[in-house]
């Protein structure tokens, strides 16, 4: 009598030879199908490597891979010669744009992009004039314009009339070369000074008195963009050092975002702006785009990178050395597209 368990139907018994699986024969159609699947993947990988080597952009900046919703291109404002700085009233009714070529004026546009005026440097000042950055006093709506060659900051009222030149007071240290401009909500004026070898960031009270100066020898190299975060601190692009820094009221560097190949890293940052999100916009001149970060949470740590918009080129939505950026309360972002001689308007 046989002992043990009966053999399961369809299964080989112990010691029985195990049948080999049938051999798969690859026909011409199978090979073509495989190439159709693998080929594009290899091409995509090569393209990603080439993009990183030529632009330094991480993979996450490719269209469709950004972490947050990005604005879309709306329209462009023309009629400016190599624009650099831009400032916009909160309502978006007036757009101020500095031009570094041509007539070297500040051109004023309405919300639809029609020019409605200019801000001209005072004739009494003489010498060469090149307006660089522009900022709006939140308390008076006066417009401040930095003119680095003339070593001055000019002030205009909201209607465009020239009011005079800003005069620093206190232990200022003599001549300066003002560049970046920004206002705090309390009316504190922040100016980057790029004179000499020790570039610095200066803070002035309402009467022009110097409140503090930040920056020792070699600490900053051509700081450009300035903006005050909603819950502090002051943010600045230390352009030639390739970083964004957060500066406390005592002058300490709280955090920085520097050069690198990771998503959100920088190369040559220029203009800065903050919307009501609050989201931070950083113009990146080397990769020809605007990087976007979330400022939600504490200002004591770096913001979260959300994504970017813009590519290199001359078409709508493409940049050729962008520099300045501003926002309004109508979900619009304004970017000076310097070498394309225009201001691009983006919107959500």
């Amino acid at each position: 009598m046989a002992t043990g368990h009966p053999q399961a139907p369809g299964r080989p018994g112990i010691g029985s030879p195990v049948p080999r699986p049938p051999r798969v024969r690859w026909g011409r159609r199978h090979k073509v199908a495989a190439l159709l699947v693998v080929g594009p993947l290899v091409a995509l990988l090569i393209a990603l490597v080439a993009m990183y080597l030529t632009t330094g952009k991480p993979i996450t900046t490719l269209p469709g891979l950004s972490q947050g919703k990005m604005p879309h291109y709306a329209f462009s404002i023309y009629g400016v010669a190599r624009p650099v700085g831009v400032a916009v009233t909160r309502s978006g009714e007036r757009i101020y744009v500095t031009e570094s070529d041509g007539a070297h004026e500040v051109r004023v546009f309405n919300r639809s992009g029609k020019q409605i005026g200019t801000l001209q440097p005072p004739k009494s000042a003489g010498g060469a004039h090149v307006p660089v950055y522009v900022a709006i006093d939140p308390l008076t709506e006066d417009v401040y314009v930095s003119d680095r060659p003339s070593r001055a900051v000019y002030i205009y009222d909201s209607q465009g009339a020239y009011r005079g030149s800003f005069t620093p007071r206190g232990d200022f240290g003599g001549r300066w070369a003002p560049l970046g401009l920004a206002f705090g909500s309390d009316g504190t004026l922040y100016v980057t000074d790029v004179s000499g070898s020790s570039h610095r960031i200066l803070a002035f009270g309402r009467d022009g008195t110097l409140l503090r100066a930040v920056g020792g020898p070699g600490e900053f190299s051509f700081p450009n963009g300035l903006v005050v975060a909603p819950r502090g601190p002051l943010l600045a692009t230390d352009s030639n050092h390739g970083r964004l820094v957060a500066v406390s009221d005592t002058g300490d560097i709280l955090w920085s975002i520097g050069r690198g190949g990771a998503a959100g890293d920088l190369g040559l940052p220029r203009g800065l702006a903050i919307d009501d999100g609050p989201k931070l916009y950083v113009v990146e001149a080397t990769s020809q785009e605007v990087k976007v970060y979330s400022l939600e949470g504490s200002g004591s740590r770096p913001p979260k990178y959300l994504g970017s918009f813009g590519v290199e080129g001359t078409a709508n939505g493409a940049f050729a050395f962008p520099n300045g950026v501003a926002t309004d309360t109508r979900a619009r972002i304004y970017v000076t597209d310097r070498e394309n001689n225009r201001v691009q308007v983006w919107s959500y």
Side-chain angles (χ1 to χ4, degrees), residues 30-94:
H30 293 91
K31 293 179 180 179
V32 171
L35 287 174
L36 290 176
V37 174
V38 177
L41 294 177
V42 174
L44 176 61
L45 180 60
I46 294 174
L48 291 175
V49 173
M51 184 196 78
Y52 178 77
L53 292 176
T54 56
T55 69
K57 291 185 181 182
I59 293 175
T60 50
T61 62
L62 283 174
L65 294 181
S66 296
Q67 300 174 25
K69 180 181 178 182
M70 294 294 106
H72 63 271
Y73 172 82
F75 65 95
S76 288
I77 300 173
Y78 290 91
V80 287
R82 303 186 75 197
V84 175
V86 59
V88 185
T89 57
R90 287 182 57 81
S91 64
E93 294 293 338
R94 287 177 178 260

Side-chain angles (χ1 to χ4, degrees), residues 133 179-180 192 194 199 201 219-226 235-245 257-259 266-272 282-286 322-324:
Y133 285 102
L179 191 63
T192 66
V194 295
H199 297 174
I201 301 173
E219 184 171 1
F220 297 119
S221 180
F222 286 94
N224 272 250
L226 292 171
L235 306 180
T237 53
D238 186 11
S239 293
N240 283 16
H241 285 155
R243 62 176 185 163
L244 168 70
V245 298
I257 299 174
R259 291 191 174 109
L266 301 169
L268 185 64
R270 292 294 194 184
L272 292 176
V282 183
V283 175
E284 177 50 63
T286 52
N323 194 92

Side-chain angles (χ1 to χ4, degrees), residues 42-222:
V42 174
L44 176 61
L45 180 60
I46 294 174
L48 291 175
V49 173
M51 184 196 78
Y52 178 77
L53 292 176
T54 56
T55 69
K57 291 185 181 182
I59 293 175
T60 50
T61 62
L62 283 174
L65 294 181
S66 296
Q67 300 174 25
K69 180 181 178 182
M70 294 294 106
H72 63 271
Y73 172 82
F75 65 95
S76 288
I77 300 173
Y78 290 91
V80 287
R82 303 186 75 197
V84 175
V86 59
V88 185
T89 57
R90 287 182 57 81
S91 64
E93 294 293 338
R94 287 177 178 260
I95 306 163
Y96 300 91
V97 184
T98 66
E99 56 178 9
S100 62
D101 207 344
H104 294 159
E105 298 175 335
V106 179
R107 299 193 180 272
V108 187
F109 301 89
N110 62 18
R111 70 165 69 173
S112 62
K114 179 182 178 181
Q115 183 171 327
I116 56 176
T118 60
L119 306 182
Q120 300 182 0
K123 295 180 180 180
S124 59
H129 295 280
V130 180
V132 187
Y133 285 102
V134 56
I136 301 172
D137 187 331
L139 304 182
T140 64
E141 291 195 350
D142 285 348
V143 181
Y144 286 58
V145 179
S146 64
D147 191 332
R148 181 184 169 194
S150 64
R151 297 179 178 271
V153 174
Y154 299 124
I155 307 173
Y156 304 82
D157 67 20
S158 59
Q159 301 305 309
Y162 176 68
R163 296 193 57 190
S165 180
F166 176 77
T167 304
R169 298 181 180 179
D171 187 11
F172 176 66
R175 286 163 61 86
W176 68 337
L179 191 63
L181 299 171
F183 279 96
S185 58
D186 61 351
T188 300
L189 173 64
Y190 298 92
V191 184
T192 66
D193 175 21
V194 295
S195 61
S197 58
S198 294
H199 297 174
R200 54 187 181 165
I201 301 173
L202 309 174
F204 297 95
R206 296 298 294 173
D207 62 352
T209 301
L210 179 66
L211 302 177
R212 56 188 173 276
V214 180
E219 184 171 1
F220 297 119
S221 180
F222 286 94

